[in-house]
Structures are given as C-alpha cells and as structure tokens.
Amino acid sequence: MKTNQQTTRRNFLKAAGLGMTGVMMGSVGCRGMIGKQKKRQPNILLIMSDDMGFSDIGCYGSEIHTPTLNTLAANGLRFTQFYNTARCCPTRASLMTGLYSHQAGMGHMTSDSGQVGYRGDLNQNCVTIAEVMQLAGYRTYMTGKWHVTRFDGPEDSNHNWPCQRGFDRFYGTIKGGGNFYDPTSLCRDNTFITPENDSEYEPEIYYYTNAISDNATRYVKDHFEQTPNRPFFMYVAYTSAHWPMHALPEDIAKYHGVYDEGYEAIRKARFDRLKRMGLIDPDWELSEQAGDWDKVEHKEWEARCMEVYAAMIDCMDRGIGRIVEQLRRSGQLDNTLIFFLQDNGGCAEDMGRSDHKNWREFKAHKMAPDELQPSVWPPMTTRDGRAVLGGPSVMPGPADTYIGYGENWANVSNTPFRLYKHWEHEGGVSTPLIIHWPAGVDRKGELVKEPGHLIDIMATCVDVSGADYPVEYHGNNIKPMEGLSLRPAFASQPLNRTAIYFEHEGNRAIRKGKWKLVAKGADGPWELYDMEKDRTEMHDLKSQYPQVATDLEAMWKVWAERADVLPLTPYWSSNQTLSKKKNFTFRSGDDIPREQAPNIAGKSFTFTVNFDQFGGDGVIIAQGGSAEGYALFIQGGVLCFVTRHGGKETLLKDTSVGTDSLESMICTLDRKGAVQVTGGNRTLLSGNVPGPLEKMPVDGLQIGRDLKGTVGPYQAPFAYEGNIKTVVFKILD
C-alpha cells in the first residue's frame, strides 16, 4: 500500500456524501448529439452480478443475507422466468445492445473465429444502451466488468472500451476475471491503473466489489451536484460471485457453520422456500442432486468455499445498498428505474480446486505500484509478493488463494434447475430480475410470470426514456432492436412475445409459450419440455409431441440463419469440415488451425518428437485449451503430460527427464487412456488419463508453445527452450 494511503472506504463514502471535492466528470468517450430532453425522464440503474444461480439471493429462496435486494423486490417486481445467454461475454453483449449476442459479434467469448457472429468484439452495427441514452440527453456511467472486446491489453486499441461505446465515465476491468484484491485490466476511463496508483480511490484494504460500489456511489453523488437537471444511465457490473472465492474475513465469519450440513440440506431448504414464495410451481420435481456430502473428504474446506461465496454476495448487496442510499439522499430514488439480474447460472468450473505444484513454485515478487497483473493467470502473485495457491490445503478467501466453489455447490445455486453456466437448460440461462421504480411501477411486491430476456432491457430503456433508437450511428447501419419493452408488465399488461432463442457453444434452445426445445451440444438431440408443468426439465416430451418439436426446430433454424448464428462456430459444430488425415508432420513454431489439426475426438494416437537440440523447459506440443485438449511439456526439468476432459485436468509427470541429450521422444495415448512416453531406450513417463478426448478441442495445435487457452498449469505461451525439428503424428483408430 502507499505510505500516504490513509483514506478508508468509510471516509471515501463520507467524502462522497458530505462535501469532499468530487471527481471531475468531463467526458472522455464518444459523445453523441444530445437530443431534446423529455420531461421527467427517469434515471436508469442497471446492476448485474456474475456467475450466480437462480436461488442465490434471499428474495429468490436463498439463506444468504441480501436485505437491499429483498427490499427492492418487496417494493417492486420479481420476474420468475427471465433469461440470460448462459455465459458472461454473450450476456454482456446482448444486455448492452438489445440484440442477440451473435448479431453484436459476440456469439462466444473474446476470440475471433473469423465468422460474423463470432468475432469476439462488439461490432459497429450495434449501439449500446449508453450510446442511445446519450442521444436522449443522459449522462452515462459504468463501474465493473466490461468483457465485450478482445482488445483488452495496454497496447491494444481501445475502440470498444466503455468510454468509446457511450459512457462518460468508467471505473472497472476490461477483461473478465482476476483477483478481487488486485484485478487484472483495471482502468479508470481509458487509463490502466492499479489499486496502489489510483489517486481517486485509496481504501486501506482494496476489495474489487467494494471498489465497484464505492465508485458508483461517487458517480451518483457527483452527477447531481454537477448536472442536476439531466438524468443518468449507470451500468454496475459486479464480478461477484465469480471465482476466485475471495471475501473479507469479517464477511466470511457471518457464514461460519451455515453450510456444514452439506449440499442436499441447503438445496432442499431453498427448494421449499422457492415454493412458498410462489417463484416455482409446488408440483415441479427437484432436478438431480450433484454430490454426496457423506463422501466429501475435505468437508471443512468444502463448506468454506460456500461460506466465502455467500460472503461475496453479502458484500455486493451492501454495496448496492450504498448506491441506493445515495439515490435517496439525492432525492432521486423514486424516479430511478433499477434493474438487477445475473449473467448466467451457477458455475460448475473446477478452477483452483486441486493443488498445482507450479503455483507453489511460481517465482512470486513484490509488485511495483504501477505494475499491472499479467493478462494470463494463474499462477500469479499478490501485490505484496506472495504466490497465489489453490486446492484443499489452503482455505479460500484471502488474496493469496484462487479457488472456485465447484459443481456441487453450483447445483445448489441453481436450485431447482438442471445444469449450469454454458448450457441452455434452465440452470444455465435462468436469472432473477428485480425491477424497482416507485414513480413508474404500479405493482409492488408482485411476481411477473411471463418469460423475458436480456434483449428486452434495451427496449425498456428506450421506452421509458423517450429515446430514439437510431437507424444509423457514426455512419454505420444499426440493426433493429430484438427485444420487447417490459413496461406493459409494470401495469399487469401482457408482453405479447412470439419466442426467445438461445445458442452458446453449440447448446441450443427456443422458448415459445409453454414449450421449450433444447439441446446439449452442437450434435446433441433436441429435447422438448412443457415449462408450465415441468420447468425443471425432467420429462422429455419430444416423442409424444413430434410435430411441436419439428415446428420449433424449424423456427430456431430460421432465427439462427438470420441472427448470424449459422454456421455454428467451428469450435462446437461437427458440421465444420475437419481433417480426415491420419498422418501429419509438424515443425517447430507451427500453429495449426482446428480444421487442419488431427481430429482426435474419441481416437487414440501417437507422435514422435525429433529434436535438433533437447533441453530446457516449455511446451513441446499442445492441442486444445482449458476445456478439451492435451499437452506434452517439461516444467522444472520434469516431463509432464496433461489432458483436459470437459475442463477437468489430469496431470501425469515423471521425476525427471535427466540431463542426457535425447534425439527423440515417442508419446502414445491408447483407447483405455494409458499414456506412455519413451526416449533414449527407456520409459520416461507412464500413467492413465480418463481416456481419449470425447470432443475435438476448440483451439488448434501448436508446436513448441501453447497459444490461446492453455491446456496445462503454466502461463502461455510457455515456449520450449530447446529446438524441435519435427513432430510426426499418427491417429491410430
């Protein structure tokens, strides 16, 4: 911390409310032409959390303390069937633009497949809510996570950063994740900063959730001091409760012992509360239980993961409370339309849930005040020079840990629904939506049971503000809004919706009336569910109603063609033409695209590495990334082979490859998952992995490095220090 960093967060808030000189509010972004202001335009506060399930806040059945959100819901509306897109990037793109994410160029994440719908960067044929609100005379502010551009580094173009997409002020992160005590890609407006060199915000203890809340509170205060006659639009995008499980000790202590009974007990209690609240039908079945608490080896650690998760949500709710209180102080709470929703369902990813030797051996160092956290993590270091660790030997919460809460707790978060973030089943796409607007909502504490979607937020903002949605913006033709205004629901009127569509990573769905057609995976079969009788998706009715399924599939295909979804990105579709070759020869430095790489899905294979010069650490060969893939590499002189099956890592390693020069290595993965690496007339490594990869990996194949998403526990590109002559690869099946 800086030696002069004496201002606590309490003093920051006191200053924000009681007369400290405010932050200068000059715009640094693209300012649209100010249109004629409408009388009594409401302020708009759009709040979104990260990686939380349907039942994770109190007014949606949780045991977690969320009094602010509960109060907003009690004095506003709760939607019972509101939908996101199952993943952070596409949700944020759809939310900001009022389009389906593919239409905005963000059909997947921040990588570029070369297809219109999958460029990993907001395109110029969409406008953000902030850009539209500027045209209607609004001042615009954002705090938190952006994550809708692949250009997110200090040397990259900022053409798609918040201040270039309609926001007058921005405090937050351009990338999607990172340490809560020292976020990656932290910015103020267009300038990268660190918690130590930001002169505008100097708490004694930096914690990102509090920073998002506190800067939002400051923006509200300064807005009404400096431009009291203009409305504002503010987007507050929390990273809570996305992994890593980081929370302040006093917040964790509030939940000590709450989760000691395990998954099933908490899930059943939530299920019962959801039924009593009327949020779900009492006749629906509870979806399958994940995890058996009696078989959990590290119960104290496992319970602590959920304690920290709850503490993260608790802290966020208190931060929202501070923003709401500032609106009340400013006399603007009644005239502010507040939305709260979540970007996807609970996250079953297993980040940091196993110990990694290389994390422990990472050469941590004390970071200089201006030094930015690396863009690839983990491993990483805390700002004061400690290695960041994972696995059950360390308790989650502090800055030197990096742990996710795992599939079994995600199943609790998504009560009562099936599956998780990534999938289009209800556990992946169902979100709470709270709307609070005393001056504009006639209903108080009621439930809205009509389906809605992220695309409706833009339409609602345009409706209530009196804004004109542009046909052209900055010389670019703008795609028309896809959503419906939710305003009729504020007065118990129907929305008259036709259908809602979904696609992510090949997972597909369409919701029309009571019917939902959904498929898991690009090649998975369609399933049909009656959402009135079975929203937990326990009984597939496709065989009973084949014509309904056929009609819905036809509708989905028409939409997918129109909305830049097709052809399904090659990352997920077997429709892409993949290589049919069985024999390949690669050379050092090769970066082979997916469609030209060996098609190893379900296949055994062998490859021979021929060296010009053997020696040193680094990746010898890598195919795939953090979801599916394999890699052969040397780390600390130890030969390692790693696979990823559905994101789960299996790591094999030998004690040492020795110092003898090797001319070649032969590596084989057979049909049963047996791995053997030989060289110099001896076995260098052997062991077993779960088997051949079930899916063709997303990323291509690289020789001598691992680009894009990494397969193993190392930092990209982890280039090999020796010289590779050729790699001769053969598919055996």
Side-chain angles (χ1 to χ4, degrees):
M1 291 289 178
K2 295 179 179 179
T3 58
N4 66 345
Q5 196 173 45
Q6 301 300 320
T7 306
T8 64
R9 177 165 40 86
R10 181 180 299 173
N11 288 337
F12 178 91
L13 292 170
K14 181 178 179 181
L18 297 177
M20 177 180 173
T21 301
V23 181
M24 294 302 293
M25 302 301 289
S27 169
V28 293
C30 299
R31 296 296 306 278
M33 184 181 298
I34 303 299
K36 182 179 179 180
Q37 294 187 35
K38 309 297 189 294
K39 184 178 180 180
R40 195 63 175 167
Q41 290 171 298
N43 308 301
I44 301 172
L45 174 59
L46 175 57
I47 305 170
M48 187 163 67
S49 66
D50 200 346
D51 273 20
M52 287 171 54
F54 182 75
S55 67
D56 272 336
I57 58 177
C59 53
Y60 278 78
S62 180
E63 69 291 337
I64 300 171
H65 301 298
T66 56
T68 301
L69 292 173
N70 297 352
T71 300
L72 293 174
N75 292 287
L77 299 174
R78 280 174 295 168
F79 282 65
T80 66
Q81 298 192 77
F82 205 77
Y83 289 113
N84 51 45
T85 73
R87 193 77 176 278
C88 45
C89 289
T91 281
R92 288 157 209 281
S94 187
L95 178 67
M96 278 290 95
T97 66
L99 304 175
Y100 287 104
S101 59
H102 310 76
Q103 295 172 303
M106 293 291 301
H108 188 231
M109 300 291 282
T110 54
S111 58
D112 185 359
S113 77
Q115 294 176 214
V116 171
Y118 303 89
R119 300 307 304 269
D121 195 41
L122 281 186
N123 61 41
Q124 299 301 311
N125 299 114
C126 64
V127 284
T128 68
I129 300 177
E131 288 169 330
V132 176
M133 292 300 102
Q134 279 187 340
L135 294 173
Y138 280 66
R139 295 281 294 175
T140 54
Y141 311 97
M142 178 183 172
T143 64
K145 172 177 170 178
W146 184 234
H147 208 199
V148 287
T149 179
R150 67 180 186 273
F151 299 99
D152 50 21
E155 306 302 321
D156 287 334
S157 166
N158 62 11
H159 69 281
N160 259 338
W161 291 14
C163 288
Q164 281 64 44
R165 294 308 302 248
F167 288 96
D168 293 313
R169 292 303 308 269
F170 168 64
Y171 173 88
T173 44
I174 305 299
K175 285 181 176 290
N179 193 308
F180 279 73
Y181 299 93
D182 190 14
T184 302
S185 74
L186 184 65
C187 285
R188 187 173 289 284
D189 299 324
N190 285 323
T191 302
F192 276 103
I193 58 174
T194 73
E196 287 198 351
N197 70 6
D198 180 15
S199 61
E200 294 191 25
Y201 182 65
E202 298 179 316
E204 285 184 348
I205 298 175
Y206 183 93
Y207 182 66
Y208 190 33
T209 302
N210 283 332
I212 291 170
S213 302
D214 295 346
N215 280 275
T217 302
R218 172 70 67 84
Y219 286 162
V220 172
K221 176 205 174 267
D222 287 348
H223 173 84
F224 290 111
E225 285 187 352
Q226 298 172 15
T227 53
N229 296 321
R230 291 177 61 184
F232 74 80
F233 169 77
M234 181 180 291
Y235 174 36
V236 179
Y238 287 100
T239 53
S240 178
H242 193 294
W243 47 258
M245 301 296 99
H246 280 166
L248 299 170
E250 59 269 26
D251 292 338
I252 301 171
K254 293 170 64 173
Y255 294 91
H256 181 69
V258 171
Y259 299 100
D260 288 355
E261 293 185 67
Y263 319 119
E264 187 172 5
I266 301 298
R267 194 165 180 255
K268 184 180 184 302
R270 290 190 178 192
F271 188 48
D272 291 342
R273 282 192 291 271
L274 284 163
K275 288 187 285 188
R276 290 197 301 270
M277 290 176 170
L279 290 161
I280 64 173
D281 191 305
D283 292 333
W284 293 346
E285 298 175 39
L286 180 61
S287 62
E288 184 178 357
Q289 176 67 44
D292 183 343
W293 189 254
D294 292 337
K295 296 180 181 179
V296 172
E297 181 179 359
H298 305 286
K299 283 187 172 63
E300 183 181 2
W301 179 80
E302 188 72 4
R304 173 64 174 259
C305 286
M306 191 62 188
E307 291 170 5
V308 177
Y309 181 83
M312 296 167 76
I313 296 170
D314 188 306
C315 180
M316 177 187 69
D317 183 83
R318 297 198 313 275
I320 296 170
R322 296 196 294 276
I323 302 170
V324 170
E325 178 58 27
Q326 185 59 56
L327 286 167
R328 194 188 314 275
R329 289 183 185 182
S330 301
Q332 291 291 322
L333 182 58
D334 284 357
N335 192 43
T336 300
L337 170 57
I338 301 175
F339 300 90
F340 173 83
L341 70 162
Q342 300 163 185
D343 69 343
N344 47 248
C347 176
E349 296 162 353
D350 64 348
M351 172 61 74
R353 293 184 59 80
S354 58
D355 198 354
H356 293 282
K357 181 179 178 182
N358 72 302
W359 292 19
R360 295 182 177 276
E361 295 176 347
F362 184 63
K363 296 179 181 179
H365 65 282
K366 186 174 182 179
M367 301 178 70
D370 295 335
E371 185 178 354
L372 304 177
Q373 278 286 1
S375 60
V376 180
W377 38 257
M380 61 194 301
T381 180
T382 63
R383 190 149 288 278
D384 59 1
R386 291 168 289 153
V388 176
L389 304 177
S393 65
V394 293
M395 286 294 184
D400 60 349
T401 65
Y402 212 95
I403 298 167
Y405 77 158
E407 179 178 358
N408 299 337
W409 286 122
N411 178 240
V412 173
S413 289
N414 291 338
T415 305
F417 300 128
R418 282 179 59 196
L419 293 178
Y420 314 96
K421 169 184 175 180
H422 296 266
W423 287 280
E424 306 293 3
H425 287 73
E426 294 292 286
V429 294
S430 297
T431 173
L433 174 67
I434 298 169
I435 288 181
H436 181 274
W437 184 21
V441 176
D442 296 334
R443 307 163 65 185
K444 309 294 182 186
E446 296 185 28
L447 303 178
V448 178
K449 297 191 175 183
E450 283 194 77
H453 189 273
L454 295 164
I455 55 177
D456 300 333
I457 303 298
M458 168 73 90
T460 307
C461 291
V462 168
D463 186 0
V464 302
S465 68
D468 294 321
Y469 184 85
V471 176
E472 183 180 278
Y473 187 77
H474 288 178
N476 298 301
N477 293 328
I478 301 302
K479 296 177 182 179
M481 290 183 291
E482 290 281 344
L484 300 175
S485 173
L486 300 174
R487 197 171 189 178
F490 300 174
S492 303
Q493 299 300 314
L495 298 179
N496 297 319
R497 181 183 299 283
T498 301
I500 300 171
Y501 302 90
F502 306 85
E503 190 281 333
H504 181 64
E505 297 184 340
N507 304 306
R508 296 149 286 140
I510 174 175
R511 173 72 192 270
K512 184 176 186 289
K514 72 174 186 176
W515 294 109
K516 181 180 177 185
L517 190 71
V518 60
K520 183 180 178 182
D523 304 312
W526 288 104
E527 305 162 13
L528 180 67
Y529 298 100
D530 182 336
M531 293 283 103
E532 293 179 356
K533 296 180 180 178
D534 178 32
R535 195 176 163 207
T536 54
E537 299 170 313
M538 301 296 289
H539 302 282
D540 182 2
L541 302 178
K542 184 182 175 185
S543 62
Q544 296 181 42
Y545 299 94
Q547 191 59 50
V548 173
T550 297
D551 292 346
L552 291 175
E553 182 180 3
M555 287 182 65
W556 184 90
K557 288 180 178 178
V558 170
W559 165 79
E561 185 67 44
R562 177 181 67 80
D564 300 326
V565 177
L566 299 180
L568 286 178
T569 173
Y571 291 174
W572 314 113
S573 174
S574 64
N575 294 330
Q576 183 203 20
T577 301
L578 298 175
S579 176
K580 296 180 180 180
K581 292 173 56 178
K582 289 194 172 184
N583 298 288
F584 303 80
T585 299
F586 305 117
R587 301 186 182 278
S588 181
D590 277 354
D591 180 9
I592 308 300
R594 181 180 191 263
E595 62 272 19
Q596 298 175 19
N599 184 359
I600 57 174
K603 307 292 181 60
S604 60
F605 58 81
T606 185
F607 58 82
T608 301
V609 184
N610 299 303
F611 297 98
D612 276 331
Q613 179 181 348
F614 175 79
D617 287 355
V619 171
I620 295 170
I621 182 174
Q623 184 176 359
S626 59
E628 299 285 338
Y630 68 89
L632 181 68
F633 62 99
I634 300 172
Q635 191 170 57
V638 176
L639 182 65
C640 306
F641 185 86
V642 63
T643 61
R644 292 274 188 171
H645 291 76
K648 296 186 181 297
E649 175 188 292
T650 303
L651 179 64
L652 307 176
K653 51 188 176 181
D654 192 63
T655 55
S656 174
V657 292
T659 57
D660 295 339
S661 177
L662 293 175
E663 293 183 358
S664 64
M665 285 184 186
I666 301 174
C667 176
T668 302
L669 169 63
D670 72 14
R671 290 287 298 170
K672 296 182 179 180
V675 176
Q676 184 176 59
V677 183
T678 60
N681 297 317
R682 62 188 178 99
T683 298
L684 303 175
L685 180 151
S686 64
N688 290 280
V689 299
L693 301 184
E694 294 182 3
K695 299 179 181 179
M696 178 63 171
V698 171
D699 295 345
L701 178 148
Q702 294 95 42
I703 303 298
R705 53 189 175 158
D706 188 353
L707 305 174
K708 305 171 187 173
T710 58
V711 183
Y714 43 73
Q715 285 188 313
F718 198 36
Y720 182 56
E721 295 172 348
N723 293 322
I724 299 169
K725 184 177 181 180
T726 60
V727 176
V728 180
F729 193 105
K730 182 177 182 179
I731 294 175
L732 298 177
D733 298 311

